[in-house]
Amino acid sequence: MNRIEKRFKRLRKKGEAALIPFVTAGDPKKEITERLVVEMAENGADIIELGLPFSDPLADGPTIQAASFRALKGGMNPGIYFEIVQEIRKKTDCPLVLMGYYNPILKFGLEDFAKRAKEAGIDGTIIPDLPLEEASDWMKVARSYEISNIFLVAPNTPSERIKRIVKASTGFIYYVSVLGITGARAELPPELSKGLERVHSFTKKPVAVGFGISRPEQVRGLRDVADGIIIGSAIVKMFSEVYEEKGEDEAIKEVASFVGKLKEATRR
Amino acid sequence: MLKENFLTNPDKRGHFGIFGGRFVPETLMPALLELESAYKEFKRDREFKREFEKILKDYVGRPTALYEAKRLGEALGGRCRIFLKREDLTHTGAHKINNTIGQILLAKRMGKKRIIAETGAGQHGVATATAAALMGLECIVYMGRKDTVRQAMNVFRMELTGAKVVPVDSGTKTLKDAINEAIRDWVTNVETTHYIIGSVVGPHPYPMMVRDFQSVIGKEARAQLRKKGISRPDVVVACVGGGSNAMGIFYPFSKDKDVRLIGVEAAGKGIDTDYHSATLTCGEPGVLHGTMSYLLQDRWGQIKGAHSVAPGLDYPGVGPEHSMYKDSGRAEYYTINDEEALKGFRLLSETEGIIPALESAHAIAFLEKLVPELEDGSTILVNLSGRGDKDVATVRDIFKGDKE
């Protein structure tokens, strides 16, 4: 069992949903990410999704796009990414999931990428442009390095497909709350609970929900129907705004405190 | 040497050899599967095909002429016969309309109310806006901010035909970013919207479908040559950006092993600089915009910006089938730089009174390199994919600058 699976097991016992914040590695510079991630872990993050930036993030809204461009401008690349993860691993045991588009992984070499990721301390991957049909090469490699391969299910995914996806997905299943791209939304769709129930009906594996979630009250509304709640754009946006205005220390402090509030909301 | 693998169609999951496929967010998978099955149905449906052909004839102006460019041939030494397939004579002025008519009919059949498209030079945007106006469908075109400035006249043409043009400010503010934005729109509005991709790129079934709609070019040319007593050309030449005009004219000759197929990429300011679009010549395989193909990318797999004086060639990817043709040797790919393309532009204008699009000027310019290599009396078929009206302002500025 890897760190992700252990974490979900422990949270189930405690009656809590997992809080899964997302940040883009190296946004806006590589020195910040280690501190930010460790602070989030210490303030209640159960799993952390760490973005590997790509030049063409087509599943992402403006907030995460901007973060990716800032990170790339700051010189981020997979080599530096793994160094950051290695440093984080010296300070926390929090499960780390890499979120990244397929081309940089492919260019690195699937085998080399998995090896370096595992050595650095990555526990799972989410590759938004790698659907089941194209994933067999990566799945094979990831499995041999005990890296969870987390697939996405969307509201319009037919049942027959969900069955195949949940079977292939390891660690957890990422349920996309809305038809669309990442980014905070004022309202979540009313049929979201039903969608999550549909996925649960096909699997006992943990199901986490993401896209558009930004506030503790939304988290409270979801904690009973999801095993994990992913918050990305809201955190990325808060961090970059405070960073611009008040600098690094204050930005990390505010994000850590926000993560604490969100975590509070996951307790049933 | 020809290897085995040049198939008529991709495999079930849309792979042309190691290329192609469907690398998209899960939300789009149902839409791609729906599109694929609608397309398969269309291919079998005679009435649908008749409607498509009728619009191509009455509205687009097909078949387009096949014209022997004798004065051009003489200017190049008089040893070869050069035939131009006149896609520049279609309604809207480029081959792009063949594909947009096919896809809009498909969209209508699928009950989609809203059409989106990306555009670089604006030719595909204009062709999509035109087709949407013809069918009375809502149309939104994504266009890089830089391109909206360079191609302001095409923005106005799209707006005149009722489309909304959305400038894209992310990334390099050009075609690749416009595609990202169109895909984001599609993910969000997938239930009501059809995305008309303008080239033989993107996830399956687009590369196959766009090729099929464009293959009318090669089919007509083949029949027209035969009428002139030429059973097959010796060489077929076309410019390649994403590669739809090239695939459209190559495909009907792909099984004739004695016909050389030549794609001409844009070398921009030179393939040893960072300013070119020679994806097949200089790129490496990778995944962008839903498909595996040759790409211009850096050592970390980040996509590089492309450059060409011809905005329609300015794309860091290329069709998966071209990628396969390159690897199997079925087609050859060479490059022409900005300066050479401008010479080609002028050459065709002066010898034949035909002003080509800057994209097509790359194919024309390549003839100067090709002809000396060929045997006397060889026949060359060139796809003149578009007309140069859209480029005259750009070219005038460049020529003026040269004089000063």
Side-chain angles (χ1 to χ4, degrees):
Chain A
M1 216 188 300
N2 77 12
R3 290 190 194 95
I4 299 171
E5 288 152 8
K6 277 186 204 156
R7 183 59 53 106
F8 273 110
K9 209 174 159 194
R10 206 176 80 199
L11 289 168
R12 266 188 190 175
K13 270 189 199 156
K14 285 164 71 178
E16 293 174 18
L19 177 73
I20 312 176
F22 166 94
V23 290
T24 301
D27 170 29
K29 50 182 188 180
K30 56 181 191 271
E31 294 78 13
I32 288 174
T33 305
E34 178 202 324
R35 264 183 74 202
L36 177 60
V37 168
V38 172
E39 284 293 319
M40 290 198 300
E42 283 174 1
N43 283 275
D46 295 302
I47 297 171
I48 290 166
E49 211 189 298
L50 191 56
L52 174 66
F54 180 48
S55 53
D56 295 81
L58 51 77
D60 284 303
T63 304
I64 295 177
Q65 283 175 46
S68 303
F69 295 137
R70 284 192 299 265
L72 288 174
K73 224 175 155 191
M76 260 311 286
N77 64 45
I80 299 171
Y81 182 99
F82 294 135
E83 284 167 23
I84 294 172
V85 172
Q86 229 159 354
E87 289 306 307
I88 294 170
R89 266 291 162 254
K90 291 178 185 162
K91 296 184 180 153
T92 175
D93 206 35
C94 183
L96 294 172
V97 174
L98 180 149
M99 198 300 287
Y101 291 81
Y102 193 44
N103 198 52
I105 300 173
L106 193 64
K107 187 73 171 68
F108 202 93
L110 300 187
E111 179 82 29
D112 286 348
F113 193 90
K115 187 164 180 277
R116 286 287 300 278
K118 185 66 188 181
E119 282 168 4
I122 286 291
D123 302 292
T125 56
I126 298 166
I127 309 174
D129 58 347
L130 193 69
L132 193 57
E133 284 81 352
E134 300 291 350
S136 60
D137 291 347
W138 174 247
M139 278 165 68
K140 211 186 288 170
V141 173
R143 198 180 305 129
S144 72
Y145 287 94
E146 292 176 321
I147 295 171
S148 297
N149 187 29
I150 296 140
F151 279 104
L152 294 95
V153 170
N156 59 347
T157 309
S159 297
E160 179 277 329
R161 245 185 108 71
I162 296 182
K163 275 185 212 167
R164 287 190 288 134
I165 293 172
V166 298
K167 206 174 155 201
S169 196
T170 50
F172 62 92
I173 289 119
Y174 191 138
Y175 185 75
V176 177
S177 69
V178 289
L179 295 178
I181 51 179
T182 60
R185 285 165 177 82
E187 304 255 335
L188 292 169
E191 64 280 7
L192 179 53
S193 299
K194 269 198 184 139
L196 281 159
E197 265 170 42
R198 196 160 70 101
V199 184
H200 281 303
S201 75
F202 294 112
T203 183
K204 289 203 168 83
K205 290 176 187 168
V207 181
V209 59
F211 281 41
I213 306 163
S214 62
R215 298 193 309 269
E217 54 273 32
Q218 290 172 320
V219 172
R220 270 192 288 276
L222 288 167
R223 68 186 174 200
D224 292 323
V225 285
D227 302 294
I229 292 147
I230 301 159
I231 317 243
S233 297
I235 286 173
V236 169
K237 192 166 176 228
M238 172 185 276
F239 181 80
S240 87
E241 282 174 3
V242 181
Y243 178 88
E244 278 300 311
E245 237 177 83
K246 302 180 189 161
E248 183 176 332
D249 292 347
E250 201 59 31
I252 291 177
K253 217 168 110 188
E254 281 202 30
V255 167
S257 136
F258 182 50
V259 165
K261 280 180 204 142
L262 293 167
K263 179 58 210 173
E264 203 44 54
T266 66
R267 299 199 169 100
R268 289 167 193 146
Chain B
M1 263 298 287
L2 268 187
K3 288 183 204 153
E4 273 310 294
N5 202 6
F6 72 96
L7 309 162
T8 319
N9 272 317
D11 74 10
K12 256 167 87 182
R13 289 175 181 173
H15 297 111
F16 295 93
I18 64 162
F19 301 104
R22 275 181 297 232
F23 295 85
V24 294
E26 183 55 37
T27 311
L28 291 183
M29 283 304 291
L32 292 173
L33 296 168
E34 180 197 3
L35 180 61
E36 190 190 354
S37 81
Y39 179 63
K40 273 186 187 159
E41 226 182 283
F42 153 70
K43 269 179 115 172
R44 282 194 300 263
D45 183 340
R46 286 200 155 176
E47 194 179 317
F48 200 90
K49 227 174 153 178
R50 258 202 302 274
E51 194 182 355
F52 177 51
E53 280 161 7
K54 190 171 185 319
I55 296 174
L56 287 186
K57 177 170 174 281
D58 298 343
Y59 184 75
V60 174
R62 303 209 71 91
T64 57
L66 182 78
Y67 168 70
E68 180 164 9
K70 288 189 178 158
R71 281 185 32 88
L72 174 67
E74 274 161 33
L76 295 173
R79 297 172 45 249
C80 296
R81 297 182 72 184
I82 298 165
F83 293 89
L84 304 179
K85 182 58 177 160
R86 300 287 310 273
E87 291 303 295
D88 60 317
L89 296 178
T90 55
H91 178 45
T92 71
H95 72 290
K96 295 289 184 191
I97 189 96
N98 303 325
N99 168 49
T100 61
I101 295 292
Q103 286 201 47
I104 206 116
L105 287 172
L106 209 54
K108 235 184 146 185
R109 166 163 287 207
M110 290 188 294
K112 304 289 182 185
K113 303 266 178 287
R114 187 171 169 271
I115 297 298
I116 57 171
E118 84 293 340
T119 198
Q123 289 305 104
H124 174 59
V126 167
T128 305
T130 300
L134 178 67
M135 295 293 159
L137 294 176
E138 183 190 357
C139 179
I140 291 108
V141 180
Y142 291 93
M143 191 169 186
R145 173 78 67 181
K146 274 188 196 162
D147 292 329
T148 61
V149 177
R150 291 197 282 194
Q151 302 288 333
M153 199 52 79
N154 271 342
V155 173
F156 188 55
R157 288 170 80 192
M158 289 184 259
E159 286 168 353
L160 276 176
T161 46
K164 188 179 157 207
V165 179
V166 181
V168 175
D169 279 314
S170 62
T172 60
K173 301 181 175 46
T174 59
L175 176 58
K176 88 175 169 71
D177 308 283
I179 297 179
N180 290 336
E181 214 49 46
I183 292 175
R184 290 180 189 120
D185 178 315
W186 201 26
V187 172
T188 309
N189 301 295
V190 62
E191 285 168 332
T192 57
T193 300
H194 175 64
Y195 177 19
I196 299 191
I197 293 184
S199 192
V200 287
V201 299
H204 180 64
Y206 284 101
M208 170 182 78
M209 182 171 77
V210 176
R211 173 202 71 193
D212 290 353
F213 288 137
Q214 292 293 3
S215 66
V216 63
I217 304 171
K219 278 184 214 156
E220 283 177 10
R222 200 184 169 102
Q224 288 164 323
L225 279 171
R226 198 176 301 135
K227 270 199 180 157
K228 295 177 196 286
I230 298 162
S231 69
R232 281 193 290 281
D234 296 295
V235 191
V236 181
V237 182
C239 65
V240 176
S244 70
N245 91 80
M247 204 41 83
I249 198 160
F250 286 178
Y251 188 60
F253 296 102
S254 61
K255 285 183 179 167
D256 303 301
K257 297 191 184 182
D258 53 345
V259 177
R260 278 177 76 188
L261 306 176
I262 295 180
V264 183
E265 296 193 291
K269 294 180 179 167
I271 54 172
D272 47 355
T273 70
D274 273 340
Y275 302 94
H276 64 78
S277 307
T279 312
L280 289 160
T281 308
C282 304
E284 290 169 276
V287 169
L288 176 68
H289 297 146
T291 192
M292 173 101 71
S293 74
Y294 277 87
L295 296 179
L296 297 179
Q297 51 183 319
D298 70 11
R299 62 175 289 225
W300 298 109
Q302 305 295 344
I303 308 306
K304 284 198 204 169
H307 164 86
S308 168
V309 69
L313 302 181
D314 197 345
Y315 181 59
V318 67
E321 200 168 6
H322 281 295
S323 301
M324 184 184 76
Y325 275 10
K326 178 192 158 78
D327 280 9
S328 70
R330 179 61 195 96
E332 305 154 56
Y333 297 90
Y334 303 100
T335 62
I336 284 292
N337 65 30
D338 286 352
E339 208 179 307
E340 294 165 325
L342 287 162
K343 267 175 75 186
F345 183 89
R346 187 165 249 174
L347 178 67
L348 189 67
S349 304
E350 287 174 359
T351 55
E352 298 289 351
I354 298 171
I355 300 171
L358 277 173
E359 291 77 15
S360 323
H362 284 72
I364 299 294
F366 183 71
L367 298 176
E368 221 165 323
K369 297 186 176 179
L370 175 69
V371 167
E373 277 179 24
L374 299 179
E375 281 176 31
D376 282 357
S378 297
T379 314
I380 307 168
L381 171 65
V382 184
N383 196 1
L384 194 64
S385 54
R387 62 173 170 247
D389 303 31
K390 69 182 176 61
D391 297 314
V392 290
T394 309
V395 175
R396 186 187 53 194
D397 290 349
I398 295 171
F399 286 169
K400 240 194 213 161
D402 287 351
K403 270 185 203 154
E404 276 161 15

